[in-house]
Amino acid sequence: MKLIFAVAISALFGTGAYLLLHRDLVRVVLGIVVISQASVLTLIAASLSRGNAAIYPLRGRVSDPLSQAMALTAIVIGLAVTGLLLVLVLRAVVAYRTQELDEIAAEEAARDEEEERSHQVRHDDEEAAAR
Amino acid sequence: MILEVVALRLLGPALMFAAAIIVKGYADVGDGFSAGVIVALAISLRYIVLGPERAEQGMPILRRAPVVAVAGLLVALAAGFFPLLLGEPPFTHHPGPGEHVVKIGTLELITAVLFDIGVFLLVTGVLVVLVHHLTRLVERARA
């Protein structure tokens, strides 16, 4: 059982890391989601124990409820982070009209250059006026 | 095409499954949270396939998702903290373990089920609100 969990966690983490290294922003978000699922699985695998559900009255051996509660918390936090990341990607897509990191960087550099040039022009104008 | 058909038909089985999870939740694996996530997944598939406008035309209750979420929160809080009025610790459920329980089929009427239903409504409502706003933002970005 532990081996199955280990293989599943490593597969999920590997997939997530591969997605995370993509240039596409949506894939980056998907990578973060998959890695957070891997962490949830790690939490569950951290306390693998057989037994009844830990519900009062306790009958015989019960399984450890702590890691399951923590996994639930991790799922909720992962959901909120996913929502936030998706909105951030959406804003980036709206602002730069692309979801490729390279193109966003190029667009940003072009805008900076444009701004620099307009500053320079204004500066030159002011100097000319002062003269 | 296939996705559209599936998205429209999937809501019924999802609700059924959620009900089953809530019913066995207090004595077995499962609770209102997972039931809410399952229903919200089916609804979000509907949103993705149909878009926010058509998805909400077919099911006007989706527009009331914030109300559903707040109602669920109030139900869960009431079920959790009502025992304080009787001088018992919070989340004391009635009838207690070993006492007689009114049964409808396999559904046992205890306050823990009420709490789970509250959590179910809260989770479903919040997730639907989230998907609603996300799909609206995407539509506006496309336009």
Side-chain angles (χ1 to χ4, degrees), chain A residues 2-26:
Chain A
K2 276 180 185 153
L3 184 67
I4 296 173
F5 266 92
V7 169
I9 290 165
S10 54
L12 274 180
F13 193 88
T15 316
Y18 175 73
L19 284 172
L20 198 57
L21 294 174
H22 260 270
R23 293 288 179 193
D24 190 327
L25 276 180
V26 175

Side-chain angles (χ1 to χ4, degrees), chain A:
Chain A
M1 201 62 191
K2 276 180 185 153
L3 184 67
I4 296 173
F5 266 92
V7 169
I9 290 165
S10 54
L12 274 180
F13 193 88
T15 316
Y18 175 73
L19 284 172
L20 198 57
L21 294 174
H22 260 270
R23 293 288 179 193
D24 190 327
L25 276 180
V26 175
R27 291 191 186 194
V28 171
V29 173
L30 284 180
I32 292 173
V33 171
V34 173
I35 286 182
S36 77
Q37 297 306 317
S39 70
V40 171
L41 260 187
T42 313
L43 274 177
I44 292 179
S47 74
L48 276 181
S49 59
R50 284 178 187 279
N52 298 320
I55 297 173
Y56 191 81
L58 301 176
R59 275 166 268 127
R61 274 185 64 187
V62 293
S63 60
D64 183 3
L66 177 65
S67 73
Q68 298 179 17
M70 281 170 70
L72 205 59
T73 315
I75 289 171
V76 176
I77 294 171
L79 167 81
V81 168
T82 309
L84 180 67
L85 284 176
L86 282 176
V87 173
L88 283 179
V89 169
L90 197 59
R91 295 309 302 171
V93 170
V94 169
Y96 295 105
R97 284 178 297 283
T98 175
Q99 56 187 25
E100 298 284 327
L101 274 176
D102 294 343
E103 291 173 25
I104 287 178
E107 176 89 19
E108 215 163 38
R111 285 185 190 185
D112 278 355
E113 213 166 277
E114 182 73 20
E115 203 173 334
E116 194 93 339
R117 208 176 297 138
S118 71
H119 264 290
Q120 193 64 41
V121 168
R122 214 181 304 145
H123 196 65
D124 289 351
D125 284 354
E126 277 170 10
E127 264 186 7
R131 248 185 252 131

Side-chain angles (χ1 to χ4, degrees), chain B residues 43-83:
Chain B
I43 293 178
S44 58
L45 183 66
R46 190 187 164 93
Y47 266 97
I48 289 168
V49 171
L50 297 180
E53 290 298 330
R54 283 176 60 209
E56 285 170 8
Q57 259 172 16
M59 283 181 67
I61 195 172
L62 293 182
R63 290 207 187 89
R64 298 257 170 273
V67 182
V68 172
V70 173
L73 181 65
L74 290 180
V75 167
L77 281 179
F81 287 96
F82 177 70

